[in-house]
Amino acid sequence: MTISRIPRFYKLSVEERHLELRGRLGLDDEDVRTLAGGALSIDAANNMIENVISTHALPLGLGLNFRVNDRDYIVPMCVEEPSVVAAASNAAKSVRDGGGFTAEADPPIMIAQVQLVNVPDTEAATEAILSRRASLLEACDEAIPSLVRRGGGARDIEVRTLVPSTARVPSTEHVPGTEQGRGMLAVHLLVDCQDAMGANMVNTVAEAVAGRLAALAGGEPGLRILSNLADRRRVRVRCLVPLHALETKEFSGERVRDGVIAASRFAELDPYRAATHNKGVMNGVDAVTLATGNDWRGVEAGAHAYAARDGRYRPLSIWRLGPGGVLQGELEMPMVIGTVGGTTRAHPGARLALKLLGNPGASELGMVIASVGLASNLSALRALACEGIQRGHMSLHARSVAMTAGATGALVEQVARELSELGDVRLERAVAILARIEAESRRPAAAHGIVAPPA
Ligand code: MEV
């Protein structure tokens, strides 16, 4: 069984971390070569997209301490922003003290949309389509035989009237397909995609039956494409954080809990704050989505559309007073991801990321991703509600400024430490500190009169 607590992992060198993973997760030589070698060859990249000239690397770190539904996970996170991995791991440790994350996932149902335009009688068209439900579902399944063999397939059909044929259209508003007396429908084909993300399959289904739907409606087919507002494929995650796991040197557990609850309330009341609150959630969600080779733009689109589902943009997670005075957090969001097919299999780094997670199915991966989102959110709110975000960010930011100034190896830490102590993390300062340290390291030999032995 994987144990996701690896105390002092951050103190190890990168090579020592690889060794640790070999022992813990049974990585083999090839896995370690993939980790050490940057994961994606130019050849593989050239087969993935067009006009390839190079690959673009980002850091891959491990989120530790995660426990979801009584199972430990070591979570690969791909992200350029300092502190995201440390913060998520830290919050996961507090949540672990309260029993870990409890998560559930809807069945992996994706929505394929078929737009129908120039529909002469939208009510009659709706009836005509729904009365052929069974044979239309059969036609959908015929288009995706391998998914049906794996246990998936079309599950239902819904018809939504976007413009009723009886609508009075102002003469100034000429929209082809919705002229006077003509309406527009969106037909939703609900497809169980199993462990696939499902984009290709649902698009195939939509294209396969669009002509028949248009004929039944007496209209014309328009767009045929999945919806990223995948509200049939949601995950929900919940956690309880005991007060002792919240307290810091300066703040009591009660004070931190109440600060997080007040921060949640702020996001619930104000879309400006909700956007930033959700950015904190997506710090974790995107990092795992990207590491596992999934389409993070799709997950982002779904998250924000869902956040605004009732016409007002809201936080994806909320924090409340839980049983016995603990802090209780909940997150719900659509989760359009897969663990078979596409980049998840074509990209060696993504394959390895899934292996690190124990090769989960799509629903299980979705629950882990949402847990990392909730952890990222918790750590941001906890910092914001207490000492502020800058103190923690400062030392990590200082490292990247030190590297930009040209520091390498142990000098990165040394320059970063001085920058943090000075509270001045400007690049000019880092360049000056680095120049001074380098000059000092050349000086002692002469200063102490040590003469190099003759060669
Ligand atoms: C920064 O990447 C994310 C935060 O702004 C999130 C938040 O404000 O809740 C710190």
Side-chain angles (χ1 to χ4, degrees), residues 81 273 276-277 279-280 283 380-381 384 389:
E81 185 176 330
R273 173 57 207 156
T276 325
H277 178 107
K279 195 281 182 178
N283 272 345
L381 299 191
L384 287 167
I389 209 86

Side-chain angles (χ1 to χ4, degrees), residues 313-351:
Y313 190 88
R314 294 182 190 284
L316 293 164
S317 65
I318 56 167
W319 295 91
R320 289 282 183 274
L321 187 64
V326 301
L327 176 66
Q328 175 176 317
E330 278 174 15
L331 167 87
E332 182 172 44
M333 63 182 292
M335 192 54 73
V336 183
I337 46 107
T339 54
V340 297
T343 313
T344 56
R345 292 292 143 190
H347 190 299
R351 272 202 310 273

Side-chain angles (χ1 to χ4, degrees), residues 113-116 158-162 184-188:
Q113 289 198 295
V114 178
Q115 178 197 27
L116 298 178
E158 291 169 353
V159 184
R160 295 169 53 236
T161 301
L162 302 184
M184 188 193 295
L185 297 177
V187 180
H188 285 192

Side-chain angles (χ1 to χ4, degrees), residues 58-61 77-82 84-85 283 287 290:
L58 287 173
L60 180 76
M77 299 175 71
C78 182
V79 61
E80 87 299 342
E81 185 176 330
V84 167
V85 175
N283 272 345
L290 185 52

